[in-house]
Amino acid sequence: MDEDRTKGKLFVISGPSGAGKGTIVSRVREDLGPNRAVLSISMTTRGPRPGEEDGKQYFFVTKEDFCKKIQEGGLLEYAEVYGNYYGTPRSYVMENIENGRDVILEIDIQGALNVKKAFPEGILIFVAPPSLSVLRDRLTGRNTDAEDVIRLRLSKAVSELSHIPAYDYLIINDVLEEAVKKTESIFISEHMRVSESRMGRLMAEYEGE
Ligand code: 5GP
């Protein structure tokens, strides 16, 4: 009654690699409770990193399969990032929204802007590191990328910051706990927006008194 959950909402989270998007998203999902928010699993042509599994972090596919999916209209958006393709499977997103579950897309800026064009009601959240030196330390610390890849990601991060004005919310991930709380507050507030269905329920309640 106090929330509009007739339909789910689409939340798009972007930010430089190493900003902490993944950690924030999994904490928010955990705290919101089961089945409140689902994570869309993207399709990619990049190879799995150590520890990554097909269908978990990504659906790992060949370039041919990816192109086929585009031609079928099966991707909500797609983009080329660092020479590999990444895309969002359309059906999973639509089905969950229709069933009242929020869907989270953890995608790059090009993808986020494309989603906003297709779904103006999508909510764009940018996660930024508190400084570039913190970002460098996080990228080095996770030991998954070579030095030249880290350099590429750092220079990309600087150009990515210029797109923040296209986003609805900016979360600066300095202290993780606080960043998680702030992100959760966005998920909660977005369901408190004035809507016809909420107004209808409220009026019915008052009239029944
Ligand atoms: P990584 O290879 O580090 O997992 O991801 C590289 C970049 O691709 C990240 O910025 C990530 O947000 C982006 N990405 C992941 N999935 C998608 C997707 O489905 N669409 C788009 N446009 N970008 C994606």
Side-chain angles (χ1 to χ4, degrees):
M1 155 78 178
D2 68 333
E3 281 188 335
D4 187 4
R5 290 221 162 250
T6 43
K7 273 196 181 180
K9 290 182 184 282
L10 183 63
F11 292 91
V12 183
I13 314 236
S14 327
S17 306
K21 300 174 297 244
T23 313
I24 291 176
V25 164
S26 59
R27 282 288 309 278
V28 167
R29 289 185 58 217
E30 219 176 278
D31 291 352
L32 289 178
N35 277 328
R36 280 279 289 269
V38 298
L39 189 61
S40 163
I41 300 173
S42 300
M43 199 171 258
T44 183
T45 60
R46 92 151 155 75
R49 293 190 184 123
E52 287 184 337
E53 281 174 46
D54 187 43
K56 223 166 179 194
Q57 290 80 9
Y58 288 105
F59 293 108
F60 297 100
V61 298
T62 61
K63 257 197 177 130
E64 291 71 44
D65 286 344
F66 197 94
C67 290
K68 210 170 133 207
K69 199 80 178 171
I70 297 172
Q71 279 155 13
E72 291 166 3
L75 297 178
L76 191 60
E77 62 74 41
Y78 66 93
E80 193 184 344
V81 188
Y82 312 124
N84 293 305
Y85 289 95
Y86 295 81
T88 305
R90 183 190 295 276
S91 54
Y92 184 79
V93 172
M94 302 317 291
E95 280 162 22
N96 277 290
I97 286 181
E98 282 306 315
N99 289 324
R101 279 185 289 271
D102 291 337
V103 178
I104 306 174
L105 306 185
E106 201 191 309
I107 59 177
D108 80 322
I109 292 164
Q110 306 167 62
L113 301 181
N114 286 336
V115 168
K116 192 76 174 176
K117 270 188 230 148
F119 282 98
E121 63 273 40
I123 299 132
L124 306 194
I125 304 173
F126 195 97
V127 178
S131 70
L132 290 177
S133 56
V134 166
L135 184 64
R136 185 181 301 112
D137 290 348
R138 287 181 188 165
L139 287 172
T140 313
R142 73 182 187 186
N143 266 334
T144 51
D145 298 309
E147 188 57 40
D148 56 335
V149 175
I150 291 177
R151 260 201 302 276
L152 190 70
R153 285 176 189 240
L154 276 172
S155 69
K156 192 168 183 227
V158 176
S159 63
E160 282 176 341
L161 301 179
S162 66
H163 293 283
I164 292 176
Y167 280 69
D168 299 302
Y169 294 96
L170 169 63
I171 297 288
I172 296 170
N173 183 15
D174 188 359
V175 177
L176 178 67
E177 287 308 315
E178 286 176 19
V180 168
K181 264 194 234 143
K182 287 172 188 167
T183 309
E184 279 169 12
S185 74
I186 299 170
F187 277 66
I188 294 165
S189 308
E190 284 293 332
H191 282 280
M192 298 296 166
R193 285 188 175 278
V194 173
S195 67
E196 269 182 39
S197 61
R198 288 187 76 208
M199 283 306 295
R201 283 199 297 275
L202 185 66
M203 288 307 149
E205 186 71 26
Y206 289 173
E207 279 155 18
E209 280 177 339

